[in-house]
Amino acid sequence: MKNLWKDTDAEALVAAYGQKGVERDLALRVYTTRLLGGEPRLVLHGGGNTSVKLEATDLVGDHWPVLCVKGSGWDMGVIEPQGLPAVKLAPLLKARALESLSDEDMVSLQRANLIDPGSPNPSVETLLHAFLPQKFVDHTHSTAVLAIVDQGDDSEALIRKVFGPKMGYVPYIKPGFDLAKAAAEIYDQDPSVEGLILDKHGIFTFAETAKDAYDLMIRYVTVAEDYVAQNTANPLVPVTLPKRLPDPAQIAPLLRGAVAMRHGEGRFDRMVSDFRTSPTILEFLNAEGLERRAARGVSTPDLSIRIKTGPMALPAPDADNLDAYAETVKTHVADYVAEYTRYFEENDARDEVKRTMLDPMPRLLLVPGLGMFGFGRTLKDAKIASDVGEMWIEAVRGAEAIGDFRPLAKSDLFELEYWSLEQAKLAGNKPKPLTGQVALVTGGAGAIGAATAKLFASQGAHVVVVDLDAEKAKEAAKAAGNGSIGVGADVTKPEDIAAAFEQAVRNYGGVDIVVSNAGAAFEGGIGELDDALLRKSFELNFFSHQNVAQAAVRIFKQQGTGGTLLFNTSKQAVNPGPKFGAYGIPKAATLFLSRQYALEYGGIGVRANAVNADRIRSGLLTDEMIANRSKARGLSEKDYMSGNLLGLEVTAEHVAQAFLHHALAERTTADVTTVDGGNIAATLR
């Protein structure tokens, strides 16, 4: 492990924070915390913490010895001083004399003694940091250390052999008061130790300076790395793979559908996926014993929050028999769910605490020949699952190279996964209506498309913004937020449509909602209209919608979780205007296309609806066109745009609301929603 400390960088940060009133030791604490947090082999998505003991002044001017410790929710790689909330040290030390302290009371004690009541909750390992006397304390979940501590009954002997007498050994205890007290007692037995190795958990180092504590962490992690490297016998024996493997995008939708949670009839809690592969990943996945290793569980207990009791291993897929593979995946998921349910029921029955089982779906799927698929309700969570998977592979491979991967037993893991503190945190995370869903919007850079993309993203969807202008599509996606992407495509070309959907699958694993919105108006008297122009209009205003819907249905079928098709049909579909036949006729066909999809695919849960909008400022109805039409009718632009029963202008955002309504209307299909402020001539009945 490379030591990244640089005196110049450390002093520069001290100087920069000094100008903001941050004292030197806290600035150095921030510096080394970032060094640790920036290395995934040490700290991954919350798996570590640091502290420094200082003095602080409260709101009324009193001075207190405090422990500044990593706060909940802060990423160590980019932490700021406020991410290390100050807690009065004396009450924490006094707690050591208690015989017991519940997790809830421990949190209350820590919060009650914050210098700033608005600070985040201090780390669950705050008391352990407090009970150690050194000024600086560092804690990580090094993958190399995990390779050594995740062994069988002889892990203590191996730990003492590898790390020597300068590192204390702490048997596994769930993080909290009991662990803090036990660790402090072990330290007291030999105050000459420079750190502690926590069985099945990780490593602590401590010193009187930030640099020394950091140096010790890097030194002992390197000791672990060297031991694994020097004693490695490659445990990976390759298996025979199918002659022809599919592209990951060919199986991503069926995997995504298999892990969607069904809630009653026609409703699913979906997840998005993140695919990850590399030569290192493939060497591990393509070896004998993958299912056994996956079944052993997570390499460190806190990972249960990310990938539950561990990953799920699948067989390698055969590109020539994907229908059979889809059934194999369903069987494996059903087995995983059954095993997880047994795990919950057996461990939940051990006491009288009332718990609600979390969803039992796997979060990390291992596919030999291809790679890993991380799953989560958001793309961020899916990527975290993949990140965890990479570090899990490294820890497991190291553990098997020097012995036998034996992480914490699942019965002990249950205490952490269903920890009351974590349950309270999860209960506060309310998903948005479209969380876990992927929406694809054509004509996405136009006024209606961009407004729809932004609204859907605000409701939790990850959006694929498709537009003829790739740069504008990317701009609209950026404006929409929530990890949306922009894709350039000519929707009159089936190959471009296929590429856009493939990009959606590669980024998110599939598609759930399609807003077929692209279109353009063509003018001319129908009796004199050039045939080529009419055909051009049909290509864009009808056939593109058909081709987009066909591509969507193919993915919907793979996923098996239904889907939503939404078409922008315009008032021209039911209320033709003079010289707009080239636009209105294909739009009328598209209106009936939506009903045909509703008719033919309702049986597999696909809903198809249309939105009939009029007089929306957009690429179709430009400012110049508005000015010309207003003048021709002898009206002001305002009166022209609000020339409806309500006397109000209708905007792209109002059309987006109609699309959102249909996306959420679980029992509505073959419907048309009119968004025009009231136009009797354009009503359907």
Side-chain angles (χ1 to χ4, degrees):
M1 179 66 62
K2 185 177 181 181
N3 190 312
L4 300 177
W5 176 284
K6 292 183 179 178
D7 289 338
T8 53
D9 291 348
E11 292 304 324
L13 195 66
V14 168
Y17 277 127
Q19 294 177 358
K20 300 176 182 179
V22 176
E23 64 178 282
R24 179 182 182 83
D25 282 335
L26 183 55
L28 290 173
R29 175 72 290 174
V30 169
Y31 176 64
T32 54
T33 302
R34 289 179 182 175
L35 294 183
L36 296 171
E39 173 49 70
R41 288 172 176 79
L42 294 175
V43 173
L44 190 64
H45 301 298
N49 37 70
T50 61
S51 69
V52 59
K53 297 175 180 73
L54 303 169
E55 288 199 356
T57 304
D58 65 16
L59 296 174
V60 295
D62 290 337
H63 299 281
W64 301 89
V66 297
L67 177 77
C68 294
V69 63
K70 186 221 163 197
S72 176
W74 275 88
D75 180 345
M76 287 172 61
V78 293
I79 202 165
E80 296 286 346
Q82 58 267 36
L84 292 152
V87 192
K88 295 174 186 176
L89 189 55
L92 302 183
L93 296 176
K94 190 175 181 180
R96 187 177 172 183
L98 299 174
E99 287 297 319
S100 63
L101 185 67
S102 71
D103 294 331
E104 291 78 10
D105 287 344
M106 179 182 71
V107 171
S108 296
L109 171 69
Q110 293 169 184
R111 284 213 62 81
N113 287 285
L114 285 168
I115 292 295
D116 178 0
S119 297
N121 278 341
S123 166
V124 70
E125 287 164 326
T126 292
L127 292 180
L128 202 163
H129 286 260
F131 293 171
L132 294 169
Q134 286 78 8
K135 189 178 185 72
F136 290 87
V137 179
D138 294 352
H139 172 46
T140 75
H141 294 171
S142 155
T143 54
V145 171
L146 291 174
I148 292 165
V149 302
D150 282 345
Q151 297 294 327
D153 295 336
D154 61 347
S155 60
E156 180 178 357
L158 181 61
I159 288 167
R160 295 191 185 282
K161 172 186 173 183
V162 173
F163 296 104
K166 283 295 185 180
M167 293 297 283
Y169 167 80
V170 182
Y172 179 77
I173 301 171
K174 187 188 76 173
F177 175 73
D178 291 341
L179 173 61
K181 200 167 181 179
E185 289 169 359
I186 288 166
Y187 171 81
D188 287 347
Q189 291 169 15
D190 183 3
S192 70
V193 297
E194 298 173 323
L196 299 171
I197 301 294
L198 279 56
D199 198 21
K200 309 291 189 277
H201 183 155
I203 175 174
F204 276 81
T205 57
F206 31 76
E208 292 305 315
T209 70
K211 185 177 188 303
D212 287 346
Y214 173 76
D215 287 347
L216 286 170
M217 178 63 70
I218 300 305
R219 181 200 305 173
Y220 284 107
V221 168
T222 302
V223 166
E225 290 176 335
D226 289 346
Y227 182 84
V228 172
Q230 292 164 9
N231 291 272
T232 295
N234 188 0
L236 303 178
V237 179
V239 297
T240 301
L241 298 173
K243 291 182 179 179
R244 203 167 74 86
L245 293 164
D247 185 278
Q250 289 180 269
I251 70 164
L254 66 89
L255 297 180
R256 182 169 178 258
V259 300
M261 275 289 291
R262 182 184 290 273
H263 287 284
E265 293 184 340
R267 186 179 179 190
F268 297 87
D269 280 348
R270 299 173 175 91
M271 292 189 280
V272 296
S273 69
D274 172 66
F275 178 69
R276 202 76 58 88
T277 193
S278 71
T280 299
I281 290 172
L282 288 177
E283 184 183 21
F284 186 87
L285 300 188
N286 297 349
E288 291 179 358
L290 178 63
E291 193 164 352
R292 170 182 60 80
R293 295 182 180 106
R296 291 277 172 85
V298 292
S299 52
T300 187
D302 68 301
L303 297 188
S304 63
I305 299 164
R306 305 298 188 181
I307 60 170
K308 308 193 80 64
T309 55
M312 185 184 85
L314 287 164
D318 185 340
D320 296 319
N321 200 2
L322 290 183
D323 287 342
Y325 190 70
E327 294 305 312
T328 298
V329 170
K330 290 177 185 176
T331 299
H332 275 69
V333 170
D335 289 346
Y336 187 99
V337 168
E339 177 60 31
Y340 184 89
T341 303
R342 281 194 296 272
Y343 151 83
F344 174 80
E345 291 174 347
E346 290 173 2
N347 289 289
D348 185 51
R350 294 186 304 181
D351 57 36
E352 300 301 318
V353 177
K354 292 185 180 297
R355 304 178 182 90
T356 300
M357 189 176 79
L358 301 172
D359 89 73
M361 289 297 175
R363 293 301 194 271
L364 184 65
L365 274 57
L366 311 178
V367 184
L370 298 186
M372 302 185 305
F373 291 82
F375 283 90
R377 294 302 306 281
T378 67
L379 184 61
K380 178 182 177 181
D381 288 341
K383 288 182 179 295
I384 287 174
S386 294
D387 290 344
V388 165
E390 291 198 60
M391 293 303 101
W392 177 84
I393 285 175
E394 183 169 317
V396 174
R397 184 167 183 170
E400 295 247 317
I402 60 174
D404 188 21
F405 175 57
R406 292 283 179 179
L408 189 68
K410 290 183 180 179
S411 56
D412 292 318
L413 193 67
F414 183 82
E415 291 185 351
L416 195 61
E417 187 181 4
Y418 283 88
W419 197 4
S420 60
L421 301 183
E422 283 299 331
Q423 293 292 290
K425 190 186 300 183
L426 291 171
N429 294 333
K430 299 291 185 184
K432 295 180 179 179
L434 296 181
T435 293
Q437 299 202 52
V438 180
L440 184 145
V441 182
T442 69
I448 292 173
T452 301
K454 189 171 185 178
L455 181 60
F456 277 41
S458 75
Q459 296 303 303
H462 294 298
V463 185
V464 181
V465 179
V466 180
D467 198 88
L468 185 61
D469 189 322
E471 289 306 311
K472 288 185 177 178
K474 292 174 183 176
E475 290 173 9
K478 184 177 180 181
N482 198 34
S484 300
I485 61 169
V487 178
D490 182 344
V491 292
T492 65
K493 296 179 179 179
E495 62 272 21
D496 279 21
I497 293 173
F501 275 90
E502 182 177 325
Q503 193 63 44
V505 170
R506 292 192 184 282
N507 270 71
Y508 308 114
V511 176
D512 307 294
I513 304 165
V514 171
V515 182
S516 194
N517 169 69
F522 298 89
E523 294 186 70
I526 194 67
E528 298 82 30
L529 192 66
D530 182 75
D531 188 58
L533 184 64
L534 183 59
R535 291 181 183 276
K536 181 179 180 180
S537 181
F538 260 92
E539 286 296 331
L540 177 57
N541 294 308
F542 173 76
F543 282 107
S544 75
H545 295 281
Q546 159 66 350
N547 291 334
V548 164
Q550 279 188 334
V553 166
R554 280 194 290 271
I555 292 176
F556 292 166
K557 285 181 176 179
Q558 279 187 287
Q559 293 173 160
T561 56
T564 302
L565 296 172
L566 304 175
F567 299 87
N568 186 344
T569 58
S570 162
K571 78 101 180 179
Q572 292 292 331
V574 293
N575 178 215
K579 296 189 177 183
F580 269 91
Y583 179 57
I585 293 169
K587 280 293 189 179
T590 297
L591 172 59
F592 280 85
L593 179 73
S594 72
R595 292 181 169 179
Q596 197 69 31
Y597 272 96
L599 173 67
E600 295 190 22
Y601 296 101
I604 62 168
V606 174
R607 297 184 295 108
N609 295 294
V611 171
N612 163 9
D614 188 30
R615 294 194 188 182
I616 311 298
R617 294 179 188 268
S618 65
L620 292 179
L621 189 57
T622 63
D623 289 343
E624 182 181 1
M625 188 179 293
I626 292 169
N628 290 338
R629 289 190 177 184
S630 302
K631 185 176 181 181
R633 289 167 173 75
L635 299 170
S636 67
E637 290 186 20
K638 182 181 184 304
D639 287 341
Y640 173 73
M641 292 303 293
S642 58
N644 52 52
L645 298 179
L646 296 177
L648 299 170
E649 180 176 347
V650 181
T651 69
E653 286 70 24
H654 296 126
V655 182
Q657 287 284 352
F659 281 128
L660 178 62
H661 158 73
H662 278 303
L664 298 175
E666 296 174 352
R667 295 295 187 271
T668 300
T669 192
D671 184 44
V672 180
T673 295
T674 299
V675 188
D676 60 8
N679 177 357
I680 290 297
T683 56
L684 292 175
R685 292 176 183 158

